[in-house]
Amino acid sequence: MKKIIYLAFILLMTSCSNWFDVQSDNTSVNDKKFFEDENSFYNALTDIYTQLRQPTLYGENLSVGMLEFMGQNFVPVDETTKAYSEFNYEAMERQGTLSDIWREMYRAISATNKLIKEIENTDVVFYNDGQKEIITGEAYALRATLHFELLRLFHPSFSENPNYVALPYMTDFGTAVGAPLSSTELIAKITKDLEHAAELLKPNDPILKGINLFPVKPGEIDSRLRTFEMNYYAVTAMMARVALYVGDYSRAFQYADETFNHIRDVEARSQVFYYFTPGKYGPDFSFSREHIFGIASPPDGLTEVSETMFGERNIKTRVDLRGIFPVAADIRYRAWFNSIGNNDYVMSGKFSKESLLIDYNKTTTGETASLPVRIPFIKLGEVALIAAESLNETDNTDQAAQWLIDLETSKGAAYVTQRRQEKELDKADVREAISEEYAREFWGEGQIFFYHKRLNHKQISAYDGSYIEMDNKKYTLPVPDNAL
């Protein structure tokens, strides 16, 4: 069988366009897929990442599209986006949005199950040390992560009803669906898979040592590209996200703090992810070096969606954008938004065609190549906010404030710094500052809706400056008809 080189090797050894031109058939790995050598397992793993970047999932609906309108960041322009903004799930199901998300997420999960089954029972010899463990760890991490994403969508917030039952946890390949489980039961399975992934990745993942200053050998995993995949720190970041979701502040801080060990333990020139600072980010307007894990997108992927939304259709931001960014020096405001007159703004910069990822790979001639923007999945800003919230809720307010200051300083801002100079901050002050940072940090990433839902906010600000009364019915997407 023809060998298809896995993601990292392709990005390293070929021009960036070659890999991004590969089209997924959008099908799960099936029984006809022969796992005959090391490369075939890499190919199966790459297929899963490729599935995630389609518009029905993180290429649009779960990033810059549906979830952002539900989070009230953008002004709706048609019946589809209006249905998103109004939480009109009946209309969304008629449009097929919910069924598409459900189907494609479980299709990707089924592919992880096939990969896990095959790699744990294979006789194939892996010639590169640790490669088998890395692939297996990523598959377990992806299975857990995708189930958690479904949980955040189709179950109410954990604090509101931990016993709510709707989703199954799939561990077998195929279309057979197990019994639906409660949120508590799902969290236990998600946590178990993430812990197993961490055990497999920690001794083997090259990201822990940072960028290898010497060329990697053919077949080796390039640490520069680990943030395109579920690396070890992506797993610890996800564990922090899950722990915060259930209100376990101690574990949430533990895993958030461990994620930042990469910055503490690795010298600056070898860090794979780090805070961008003013003047350092160049044309990388999505600040991809802060992504702990992001999904690769082809040139006609997220970039084209962004150009259509904010270039052709002029979809506007919520009316209070300048209130969210009171400091114009904030590099997020400067890099992401453009004024179109009459106090209206569009998010034209963050994922535009002008935004490029620099220095991730080299062409076959040895020159550095730029890649199109990728889809951020979990990044330093969120992990810092998890750490700050966990510390604040356990009465470590001063330490929580410092995590916020480190984040805002990297953005050329001083919101919390100025507050602390004016008065001693209490728990309520830090809670407010955290909420304000959520509003600033995640534009186009689909996270603000989940923030409101996790804290079960009874009222949220709408895109037009009014307020929306929220409840479980609005926060909880219905399981599509006949889905089970």
Side-chain angles (χ1 to χ4, degrees):
M1 186 180 83
K2 182 180 179 180
K3 296 180 181 179
I4 303 177
I5 307 303
Y6 61 94
L7 169 63
F9 188 59
I10 287 178
L11 283 174
L12 176 67
M13 301 302 294
T14 67
S15 68
C16 60
S17 61
N18 290 346
W19 184 80
F20 286 107
D21 287 342
V22 174
Q23 297 297 314
S24 169
D25 60 5
N26 289 330
T27 59
S28 299
V29 181
N30 56 48
D31 289 335
K32 295 181 181 179
K33 188 88 170 183
F34 295 105
F35 290 85
E36 63 178 8
D37 57 20
E38 189 171 324
N39 281 341
S40 62
F41 287 97
Y42 282 116
N43 182 54
L45 181 61
T46 301
D47 283 348
I48 300 169
Y49 289 114
T50 302
Q51 290 179 49
L52 299 183
R53 75 189 193 191
Q54 59 186 297
T56 51
L57 296 179
Y58 296 97
E60 184 171 353
N61 283 341
L62 302 182
S63 57
V64 75
M66 179 192 80
L67 282 179
E68 282 297 276
F69 288 98
M70 292 169 66
Q72 306 299 307
N73 272 342
F74 300 133
V75 178
V77 293
D78 54 23
E79 291 303 314
T80 298
T81 52
K82 184 178 180 182
Y84 298 157
S85 297
E86 295 179 352
F87 309 98
N88 186 343
Y89 296 129
E90 290 185 4
M92 291 164 65
E93 182 53 18
R94 288 195 301 270
Q95 297 159 4
T97 306
L98 303 186
S99 296
D100 287 346
I101 292 171
W102 179 281
R103 180 186 65 254
E104 297 306 323
M105 288 288 270
Y106 274 114
R107 180 177 289 176
I109 288 170
S110 185
T112 67
N113 292 332
K114 178 63 173 177
L115 177 54
I116 289 169
K117 179 182 177 180
E118 294 292 340
I119 200 167
E120 290 185 337
N121 294 280
T122 187
D123 294 326
V124 168
V125 175
F126 285 70
Y127 294 102
N128 293 287
D129 291 341
Q131 307 280 51
K132 181 178 180 180
E133 290 76 13
I134 290 174
I135 297 171
T136 310
E138 286 186 48
Y140 272 98
L142 282 168
R143 183 169 78 183
T145 295
L146 298 180
H147 276 105
F148 183 66
E149 291 292 278
L150 285 165
L151 174 66
R152 293 204 296 175
L153 289 166
F154 292 99
H155 278 221
S157 66
F158 190 84
S159 62
E160 185 70 11
N161 187 357
N163 298 316
Y164 185 88
V165 176
L167 300 177
Y169 198 90
M170 288 183 63
T171 57
D172 296 320
F173 174 68
T175 57
V177 179
L181 302 177
S182 70
S183 294
T184 299
E185 291 170 322
L186 288 166
I187 289 294
K189 290 183 177 294
I190 290 165
T191 301
K192 182 179 179 180
D193 272 355
L194 287 173
E195 288 175 345
H196 185 51
E199 290 173 356
L200 291 166
L201 289 167
K202 190 169 186 178
N204 300 293
D205 196 333
I207 199 172
L208 279 93
K209 297 180 181 179
I211 294 173
N212 186 351
L213 300 181
F214 301 98
V216 297
K217 299 176 182 178
E220 287 184 339
I221 289 178
D222 188 348
S223 57
R224 291 175 299 176
L225 303 172
R226 288 300 288 150
T227 53
F228 283 90
E229 301 166 311
M230 285 294 297
N231 61 78
Y232 173 73
Y233 288 117
V235 174
T236 60
M238 278 303 305
M239 293 171 84
R241 181 188 275 182
V242 172
L244 184 68
Y245 182 78
V246 301
D248 189 341
Y249 298 121
S250 176
R251 282 170 60 86
F253 176 74
Q254 172 193 338
Y255 290 122
D257 191 58
E258 183 175 359
T259 304
F260 269 77
N261 279 344
H262 178 71
I263 298 174
R264 303 186 190 109
D265 296 346
V266 177
E267 60 178 331
R269 66 173 181 166
S270 297
Q271 290 169 4
V272 183
F273 57 86
Y274 47 81
Y275 276 139
F276 267 19
T277 54
K280 187 175 182 180
Y281 61 89
D284 186 355
F285 302 128
S286 65
F287 310 147
S288 66
R289 288 300 183 185
E290 297 185 3
H291 301 175
I292 302 168
F293 166 52
I295 301 169
S297 181
D300 60 350
L302 182 62
T303 295
E304 185 172 296
V305 171
S306 175
E307 294 285 347
T308 299
M309 288 180 65
F310 310 117
E312 297 176 18
R313 304 183 74 186
N314 273 339
I315 292 178
K316 295 182 289 188
T317 67
R318 56 187 303 146
V319 297
D320 57 349
L321 179 72
R322 286 314 313 272
I324 292 172
F325 290 95
V327 178
D330 191 316
I331 63 172
R332 293 166 294 192
Y333 170 75
R334 292 191 289 116
W336 297 347
F337 305 101
N338 278 335
S339 171
I340 56 174
N342 299 320
N343 293 318
D344 291 328
Y345 294 84
V346 293
M347 194 190 77
S348 60
K350 188 171 185 179
F351 302 128
S352 71
K353 60 186 177 182
E354 284 79 24
S355 182
L356 298 172
L357 314 188
I358 307 300
D359 293 341
Y360 277 94
N361 69 311
K362 293 183 179 180
T363 65
T364 52
T365 62
E367 298 176 350
T368 298
S370 298
L371 306 178
V373 294
R374 67 176 167 191
I375 306 160
F377 192 93
I378 193 163
K379 61 184 189 178
L380 278 175
E382 179 180 352
V383 177
L385 291 171
I386 291 172
E389 183 174 344
S390 299
L391 287 167
N392 192 48
E393 297 305 318
T394 53
D395 299 318
N396 295 289
T397 300
D398 287 343
Q399 294 178 52
Q402 188 58 53
W403 279 81
L404 294 175
I405 288 171
D406 291 343
L407 169 60
E408 68 180 19
T409 299
S410 74
K411 302 297 175 286
Y415 308 105
V416 179
T417 300
Q418 292 177 354
R419 287 185 183 181
R420 195 158 70 170
Q421 290 173 347
E422 296 168 358
K423 56 171 289 192
E424 182 177 349
L425 301 180
D426 59 23
K427 185 179 289 188
D429 294 326
V430 173
R431 281 178 181 162
E432 182 179 7
I434 290 171
S435 180
E436 291 171 354
E437 269 306 316
Y438 268 95
R440 285 189 282 263
E441 180 69 9
F442 300 104
W443 282 84
E445 300 178 27
Q447 295 300 325
I448 193 66
F449 170 76
F450 290 133
Y451 170 70
H452 292 310
K453 178 175 180 175
R454 175 173 61 82
L455 295 178
N456 198 29
H457 288 154
K458 300 301 183 183
Q459 188 182 74
I460 64 174
S461 298
Y463 62 85
D464 60 2
S466 63
Y467 291 93
I468 301 174
E469 301 299 323
M470 298 295 293
D471 54 27
N472 271 339
K473 187 175 181 180
K474 290 179 179 176
Y475 277 133
T476 309
L477 280 64
V479 174
D481 293 338
N482 302 318
L484 297 179

